[in-house]
Amino acid sequence: MAKPSFSTPLGMVDILPEETPSWRALEQIIHEEAAKFNFQEIRTPILEPTELIRRGVGQLTDIVTKEIFAFKKGDTHYVLRPELTAPVVRSYVQHHLDQRGGIQKLYYIGPMFRAERPQKGRQRQFHQFGLEVIGSSDPVADIETIAFMMRIYQRIGIKNFTLKLNSVGDPESRELYKQVLRDYLEPKRSQLSELSQQRLDKNPMRILDSKEPEDQEFIAKAPIIQDYLNEDSSIHFEQVKRGLESLDIAFEIDPHLVRGMDYYTRTAFELNSPDLGSQDALAGGGRYDLLVEEIGGKPTPAVGFAAGMERLLIACKELKISLAKKSALDIYIVSLGEDARNWALSILPELRTHCLSASMDYTGKSMKAQMKEANRELSRFTLIVGENELNTGTFILRNMTESNEVAISASEIVTTVLADKKS
RNA sequence: GAGCCCGUAGCUCAGUCGGUUAGAGCGCCAGGUUGUGGCCCUGGAGGCCGUGGGUUCAAUUCCCAUCGGGCUCCCCA
């Protein structure tokens, strides 16, 4: 094997022709469902200012401290976007979308970048779809966000998952809870994992998310935030729960669910699948009532989620769900000789004008080889053109699935193939 | 950032306790059918056995390094 001189960067993959139909089918589903919910698509640059991500996602988060692709051009620092909530909010503020009236219901599909060690379900360039509802603090926005997310998986047929729900509180509730948590954990500091000891100072709530064995005992007995929510946040949480119940969306409360981005307030949720292996989060999201202001806009409540597309496709593969199959060709023209090839080339435009997919040999190979190719391309018909046909004006149209053929005139080709396609 | 496993044909993998021309299935190309695909039969192309170094009379095989891949921890989609 000649060694390839070049290959994709670590953790980045080519999506090959046999895979793109599934991707397009998934994208199609997302676009269709978004339209049903009256969400509008937004597309933003792959690059964003470093400072936006730092402030948006959080200075101390893993994403910012170690997972970012950053570089500098002139005096400006850029990053490849690691997520899209902060950029969408940036766009919302930059273009004064709040001035358009109503709330903004936006969705997106696109590549994200995180400089992590690749493994199953984790790449350095990966794709997410997601949505952001900006301008509403009503629990209905949370419920619709989750309902949209669940609908995508439901439509695809992925049912094997757990929806975890929590409230991480508003700033007031959270400060109170953090203090309670610190008071509880501080006496046990020396018994906690090294990582959790650091977190105790910076962000004690993330200790709840720890998987270190030595932390588990303390986490299990730790006070839970639900007991420290103020009345507003508590009511909000209750309304979200009730809304999901009324929509028959099953969930479980996980008081230890703390997500990786700093901007979440109140509602936080995550969808996990046992079909994914170690990286089991299909999607996650929550409410972020402080982010718009943090990024320079007016105080504006918002909620959203993001879902991993590769992980969704992995789950499909595990569950043997096929989103798309190789598309069949309507007609392949087998041509014999120079005159026949020219004739074939000249008839293709008409076939395509009638919305038929049509192709022919580009290499001048034997009839048998051309028939093989038509078969490989799953062509429904082959049209055979040689000297005889050109002289008599009668062509052989072979039905490849039924293995029979008819002699027809040139003017009958389109109608015959179209008639079969409709039946 | 840390740990473990793996690199042999386009793909999936045998094999070599170190020793003449490295194999299979699938795929590809061609012939059997000088104008007919799928099934079948026959043949063919395609490998410096990831790369570099070491040990040895001899390395695809053993050792070291390196690169690449996979899985795991951490964290996340």
Side-chain angles (χ1 to χ4, degrees):
Chain A
M1 170 179 57
K3 300 297 162 292
S5 304
F6 302 106
S7 58
T8 51
L10 178 65
M12 302 192 184
V13 301
D14 295 317
I15 300 173
L16 297 174
E18 62 267 27
E19 302 164 310
T20 47
S22 294
W23 280 85
R24 292 172 54 144
L26 173 56
E27 289 160 10
Q28 176 80 22
I29 288 169
I30 295 161
H31 289 303
E32 284 174 11
E33 295 303 323
K36 291 179 193 169
F37 278 70
N38 194 31
F39 279 84
Q40 291 188 293
E41 187 181 8
I42 185 167
R43 304 189 189 194
T44 63
I46 302 296
L47 297 185
E48 290 285 351
T50 302
E51 190 54 23
L52 169 71
I53 301 303
R54 216 177 256 155
R55 278 172 48 189
V57 176
Q59 182 70 61
L60 297 176
T61 57
D62 286 336
I63 288 179
V64 166
T65 55
K66 57 182 198 191
E67 297 172 3
I68 235 162
F69 282 104
F71 59 95
K72 187 175 163 187
K73 177 79 179 170
D75 288 333
T76 313
H77 295 263
Y78 296 101
V79 296
L80 292 174
R81 62 189 194 192
E83 58 102 56
L84 221 40
T85 300
V88 168
V89 170
R90 194 247 332 120
S91 184
Y92 174 89
V93 173
Q94 178 179 340
H95 300 288
H96 306 288
L97 299 188
D98 58 319
Q99 295 300 306
R100 301 191 175 187
I103 59 164
Q104 291 294 311
K105 298 168 64 178
L106 305 169
Y107 78 100
Y108 58 80
I109 300 178
M112 311 296 159
F113 302 83
R114 292 182 198 174
E116 296 181 272
R117 217 24 214 279
Q119 64 186 79
K120 186 180 180 187
R122 171 188 285 164
Q123 294 169 192
R124 293 184 152 201
Q125 175 176 344
F126 60 103
H127 297 76
Q128 290 185 330
F129 67 93
L131 59 82
E132 313 294 346
V133 180
I134 307 176
S136 170
S137 61
D138 196 292
V140 167
D142 308 47
I143 295 161
E144 278 270 278
T145 297
I146 294 171
F148 176 90
M149 180 177 90
M150 301 305 281
R151 191 178 174 99
I152 298 289
Y153 295 97
Q154 181 192 28
R155 178 162 160 190
I156 288 168
I158 297 174
K159 296 167 191 158
N160 199 8
F161 50 61
T162 313
L163 174 62
K164 290 183 188 168
L165 185 70
N166 192 21
S167 173
V168 295
D170 51 62
E172 183 191 62
S173 309
R174 191 149 40 174
E175 277 316 307
L176 174 63
Y177 176 64
K178 275 185 186 174
Q179 198 49 56
V180 170
L181 198 57
R182 273 204 186 93
D183 293 344
Y184 163 75
L185 288 170
E186 190 60 50
K188 305 171 178 65
R189 176 183 279 271
S190 60
Q191 297 170 66
L192 293 172
S193 65
E194 200 180 322
L195 192 60
S196 290
Q197 293 190 27
Q198 294 168 22
R199 285 167 167 166
L200 188 50
D201 301 315
K202 296 173 183 168
N203 189 352
M205 283 174 69
R206 290 208 58 81
I207 295 174
L208 300 176
D209 207 29
S210 168
K211 281 144 201 140
E212 302 290 336
E214 59 264 50
D215 296 339
Q216 296 311 311
E217 175 189 352
F218 305 115
I219 293 170
K221 292 179 191 158
I224 63 173
I225 191 165
Q226 274 79 45
D227 296 334
Y228 298 90
L229 295 178
N230 62 21
E231 193 178 359
D232 284 352
S233 281
S234 187
I235 290 172
H236 187 94
F237 192 41
E238 287 306 313
Q239 286 174 326
V240 172
K241 285 192 278 186
R242 227 173 295 142
L244 293 177
E245 280 161 7
S246 74
L247 292 176
D248 287 324
I249 294 173
F251 61 89
E252 55 184 61
I253 303 295
D254 180 355
H256 298 151
L257 175 66
V258 179
R259 296 183 43 75
M261 269 84 46
D262 282 354
Y263 50 62
Y264 287 113
T265 53
R266 293 190 172 170
T267 311
F269 55 89
E270 196 168 290
L271 196 63
N272 300 96
S273 164
D275 300 313
L276 289 182
S278 171
Q279 306 306 318
D280 67 346
L282 274 173
R287 177 163 281 285
Y288 48 96
D289 290 339
L290 306 174
L291 182 61
V292 180
E293 189 178 7
E294 176 66 30
I295 285 174
K298 287 183 280 191
T300 309
V303 58
F305 82 91
M309 295 173 75
E310 281 83 358
R311 290 186 185 177
L312 190 156
L313 292 172
I314 288 170
C316 284
K317 199 173 174 188
E318 294 292 327
L319 298 168
K320 309 216 184 307
I321 295 169
S322 56
L323 294 172
K325 45 188 170 186
K326 182 174 167 64
S327 62
L329 182 65
D330 289 323
I331 182 166
Y332 184 96
I333 304 181
V334 172
S335 56
L336 301 160
E338 193 66 17
D339 291 344
R341 296 191 77 213
N342 288 334
W343 183 89
L345 186 59
S346 70
I347 193 99
L348 286 171
E350 189 195 338
L351 297 168
R352 292 166 180 156
T353 297
H354 288 87
C355 292
L356 295 172
S357 54
S359 188
M360 64 176 281
D361 169 52
Y362 290 173
T363 62
K365 58 191 171 194
S366 71
M367 178 171 189
K368 178 169 175 157
Q370 292 186 50
M371 291 297 291
K372 269 188 91 153
E373 176 156 350
N375 191 61
R376 186 164 43 222
E377 298 303 322
L378 306 176
S379 191
R380 294 161 50 238
F381 287 94
T382 48
L383 185 75
I384 296 163
V385 186
E387 254 180 76
N388 293 342
E389 288 73 13
L390 291 179
N391 290 335
T392 62
T394 303
F395 302 86
I396 295 167
L397 183 68
R398 181 172 179 83
N399 184 320
M400 298 293 278
T401 46
E402 291 172 17
S403 297
N404 55 38
E405 50 198 41
V406 290
I408 58 172
S409 67
S411 60
E412 294 171 300
I413 298 169
V414 168
T415 48
T416 309
V417 177
L418 271 179
D420 179 87
K421 192 172 187 173
K422 279 167 191 161
S423 67

